[in-house]
Amino acid sequence: MKIYLDVDGVLADFISASQRAHNRPLERPTQWHYYRGWGLSSNQFWGPINEQGKAFWGGLDKLPWADEVVELCEMISGQRVTFLTMPCAVRSYAELDRIAGRKTWILRNYPGRESIIGENKPPYARRDRVLVDDHTKNVSEWREAGGHAILFNGLACQMGKFEKLARLAGHLYSYKDQISLNARLRQNT
């Protein structure tokens, strides 16, 4: 079983950094495009983030459960995770800064692990691969492409760290059992 981890919202705290970039109080969002509640358009939201460039993406704080999520995934799968992340927003020169910043973040926090940055996620889906992501759309598309996926509710969720990790472990063990059973069934046919 190969596990792919999204970064923002699963391991890195994009939300708090974006709130700081806009001098907004740090609060748990209640909707995906939370900046709309601030009366901002998408361009207005991304402006201050793009101005910070690589420093914004490379300087995101780790979420309190980040290390445990990586350790849990690697323990259950028996191999290192691969980071599969698409730094947000419109294709532009700013995207180069996002990609460079994301690489910096991964190398600083989780050196030696594979990362795929700036790609669509579904092409990596297979029946023996699991995606852990905080975006419903990514989870749905991964499943439609034939992989297993877990919706990981990060900051927007009221669950505590222990509950998040226990829920994740339950899903991972379930998928590991399904993948193992399917592999044995294929061998016997």
Side-chain angles (χ1 to χ4, degrees):
M1 177 173 77
K2 178 77 179 150
I3 299 176
Y4 291 82
L5 288 177
D6 180 38
V7 175
D8 297 323
V10 176
L11 305 172
D13 189 357
F14 171 83
I15 292 171
S16 294
S18 70
Q19 291 170 336
R20 283 191 297 274
H22 286 276
N23 297 313
R24 304 292 302 190
L26 300 180
E27 56 191 16
R28 182 173 295 142
T30 58
Q31 59 184 345
W32 186 257
H33 297 288
Y34 52 91
Y35 58 86
R36 291 178 183 159
W38 305 342
L40 298 178
S41 69
S42 179
N43 288 339
Q44 291 169 319
F45 174 74
W46 288 106
I49 293 168
N50 290 341
E51 286 173 17
Q52 293 180 38
K54 179 182 174 182
F56 177 88
W57 296 97
L60 296 178
D61 294 331
K62 267 199 251 183
L63 289 165
W65 49 79
D67 291 339
E68 288 91 341
V69 166
V70 172
E71 290 169 16
L72 181 68
C73 290
E74 292 181 343
M75 180 192 73
I76 293 172
S77 71
Q79 58 185 302
R80 288 195 163 206
V81 298
T82 296
F83 298 107
L84 181 57
T85 182
M86 299 183 310
C88 308
V90 183
R91 299 261 183 225
S92 65
Y93 289 112
E95 183 151 336
L96 298 175
D97 283 339
R98 291 184 201 107
I99 291 170
R102 176 59 69 228
K103 285 182 181 180
T104 298
W105 190 93
I106 291 169
L107 288 172
R108 186 180 72 243
N109 291 290
Y110 300 102
R113 288 174 179 85
E114 181 183 5
S115 61
I116 302 167
I117 302 171
E119 298 284 332
N120 288 326
K121 296 179 181 184
Y124 296 93
R126 304 279 185 282
R127 62 179 164 214
D128 62 342
R129 295 179 179 177
V130 178
L131 173 68
V132 179
D133 202 296
D134 68 321
H135 196 308
T136 306
K137 179 179 180 273
N138 292 336
V139 167
S140 296
E141 289 176 354
W142 187 272
R143 288 177 179 157
E144 288 170 13
H148 301 281
I150 300 167
L151 181 62
F152 188 87
N153 293 317
L155 286 177
C157 179
Q158 298 287 342
M159 266 189 269
K161 179 178 170 178
F162 176 77
E163 291 87 359
K164 289 178 199 294
L165 293 171
R167 183 177 176 276
L168 177 61
H171 285 298
L172 289 172
Y173 278 119
S174 175
Y175 285 142
K176 184 176 182 177
D177 290 345
Q178 287 176 30
I179 291 166
S180 179
L181 177 62
N182 289 338
R184 284 194 304 270
L185 292 171
R186 281 191 306 277
Q187 286 176 346
N188 292 332
T189 57

